[in-house]
Amino acid sequence: MRRLERLRRLAWVATQSEGSAVTLSDDGGPSDTPPVLTHDDGVIAIDTLTAGMTDVTAGYLIDAPRPALIECGPALTIGSVLQGLAALGLGPSDLAYLVLTHIHLDHAGGAGDVAAAFPNATVVVSEHGARHLAEPDRLNASSARVYGPLFDTVYGACTPVPAERLRSIADRDELDLGAGRVLELLHTPGHAKHHLGVVDPDIGAVFSGDSVGVQLPGMTELRPATPPPEFHLEAALRSLDRYRERSPGRIYLAHYGPVDPADAVLDQAEEQLRRWVEVAELARDEAHTLGLSGTHELDHVAETLQQRFHVRRQPSAEADDVAEDDARLRMLNDTRANAAGLLRYLHRRDTGELTELG
């Protein structure tokens, strides 16, 4: 009862100040918990405060008889998410599910900590990624190589989730939240082999992780997320089609927030994926003509993508905001990392090494 009453109060306050973040202390006043915002469909966004910044990665709480948190963010800032859940009135026995769209550390790094804080919660993850949460040594080692210094300063190591607390999801599995509310879980590779899309038919929403792309506040268009080693254009496009088949009205991006109408968002996501691959392929071929290889080839492709795809922002964006947004984007969606993923995809495509998943 206490949890539900606080959620109702939070939802009421959010409707009085549309688009603003609201947190509550025990007496209903402001607190130092992370930004929490209830959207008009009842989805509650909790800012994970990744890297100490707002508007980087969101966790989404679905309030139901068996509440579900979709995404938890990295281990280093999981305390912020736990504070947000506590501010909403969730006690240790209240959270039923932690649903992870994929096991990259900016989405799932804090999973073991959430499992420890909520001993009744089941951690829901693709069957292709579950073992890496139970035994995360390989995940942490590969993440440290990919992230470099950011592994220690932004993400931190993923702590293990006990195997008995994991639910490995196959394509089209369902998650029963009670009172007739069911989430459909789709296998949506392209960004990663172990990616899931979460469909909530009750509100007509898709929680897309990184499968649709990145659009931080102030940006006017999506950017694809094409990191190595598993980016796969054809799989990514099939995943977008699977979302279209569900006819959602809204897409919830992990980075960052809701975007709609969904059909236009999915069309833009497809267009951007195709354009980025096309430009990367032309730049790669040009690099070969110039005799460039290795890091020089990557530099050329990254520079070409950077020049071709400028970040478009709202006209009202101020200089300080732009600088902060650039820092967020470099961390989340660095052009060089995208270029590396595109080059790996092109090589594997051209040599016949691609599998159906990546």
Side-chain angles (χ1 to χ4, degrees):
M1 177 64 73
R2 175 174 174 266
R3 176 176 66 85
L4 291 174
E5 178 58 29
R6 290 178 61 78
L7 291 177
R8 292 189 191 103
R9 284 195 291 144
L10 184 61
W12 181 87
V13 175
T15 62
Q16 309 310 301
S17 181
E18 183 177 358
S20 63
V22 180
T23 58
L24 297 176
S25 65
D26 286 340
D27 62 2
S31 77
D32 58 357
T33 54
V36 175
L37 175 62
T38 299
H39 293 286
D40 58 9
D41 54 10
V43 172
I44 302 170
I46 302 173
D47 197 312
T48 65
L49 295 180
T50 297
M53 296 188 288
T54 59
D55 302 333
V56 175
T57 304
Y60 296 110
L61 180 66
I62 299 179
D63 182 38
R66 290 190 279 275
L69 176 66
I70 301 172
E71 317 284 38
C72 65
L76 283 187
T77 56
I78 195 62
S80 298
V81 177
L82 298 179
Q83 287 182 36
L85 292 170
L88 291 167
L90 270 78
S93 63
D94 289 330
L95 188 67
Y97 302 108
L98 170 62
V99 183
L100 303 170
T101 61
H102 57 301
I103 62 172
H104 292 168
L105 296 191
D106 55 329
H107 295 253
D113 302 280
V114 174
F118 294 95
N120 293 338
T122 297
V123 179
V124 178
V125 64
S126 166
E127 60 188 351
H128 300 289
R131 71 182 187 277
H132 297 296
L133 292 184
E135 299 178 358
D137 289 349
R138 286 182 59 189
L139 172 63
N140 287 327
S142 63
S143 299
R145 290 192 296 271
V146 170
Y147 293 130
L150 295 180
F151 179 80
D152 292 317
T153 59
V154 172
Y155 300 106
C158 179
T159 51
V161 177
E164 66 273 13
R165 301 282 302 282
L166 289 165
R167 177 174 168 184
S168 298
I169 294 296
D171 185 41
R172 299 194 67 178
D173 276 357
E174 293 184 342
L175 203 61
D176 184 0
L177 305 187
R181 191 166 188 178
V182 175
L183 302 180
E184 183 185 18
L185 304 170
L186 301 177
H187 190 206
T188 52
H191 175 77
K193 292 180 182 179
H194 48 269
H195 200 288
L196 294 175
V198 183
V199 181
D200 186 344
D202 271 30
I203 59 173
V206 164
F207 298 86
S208 63
D210 284 342
S211 58
V212 171
V214 170
Q215 186 171 338
L216 300 180
M219 292 171 56
T220 61
E221 65 181 13
L222 289 163
R223 281 169 62 96
T226 65
E230 295 174 353
F231 172 69
H232 186 316
L233 174 63
E234 290 76 19
L237 296 177
R238 288 194 296 270
S239 293
L240 297 180
D241 284 339
R242 301 198 73 193
Y243 294 147
R244 288 188 179 99
E245 291 168 1
R246 272 73 188 169
S247 300
R250 173 175 286 179
I251 308 289
Y252 276 96
L253 305 175
H255 317 294
Y256 185 93
V259 286
D260 48 39
D263 54 355
V265 173
L266 295 171
D267 287 348
Q268 184 185 120
E270 177 174 347
E271 179 186 5
Q272 290 288 72
L273 281 166
R274 293 185 184 279
R275 289 176 63 206
W276 278 65
V277 170
E278 178 184 7
V279 171
E281 185 170 12
L282 290 172
R284 181 203 61 176
D285 293 346
E286 184 178 50
H288 291 174
T289 300
L290 295 171
L292 303 176
S293 61
T295 57
H296 299 294
E297 175 191 41
L298 176 58
D299 289 343
H300 182 75
V301 174
E303 289 168 5
T304 302
L305 291 169
Q306 186 71 34
Q307 293 169 5
R308 180 69 178 271
F309 299 108
H310 296 289
V311 178
R312 293 188 171 90
R313 295 186 171 87
Q314 298 288 351
S316 59
E318 297 182 1
D320 290 346
D321 294 334
V322 169
E324 291 180 6
D325 290 346
D326 285 345
R328 293 182 180 94
L329 202 57
R330 282 194 301 272
M331 182 175 62
L332 280 176
N333 193 248
D334 179 64
T335 303
R336 187 177 177 84
N338 275 351
L342 291 166
L343 281 172
R344 178 172 168 80
Y345 159 75
L346 291 169
H347 172 77
R348 297 182 71 214
R349 184 201 67 185
D350 293 348
T351 57
E353 298 175 29
L354 280 180
T355 68
E356 183 178 356
L357 299 182

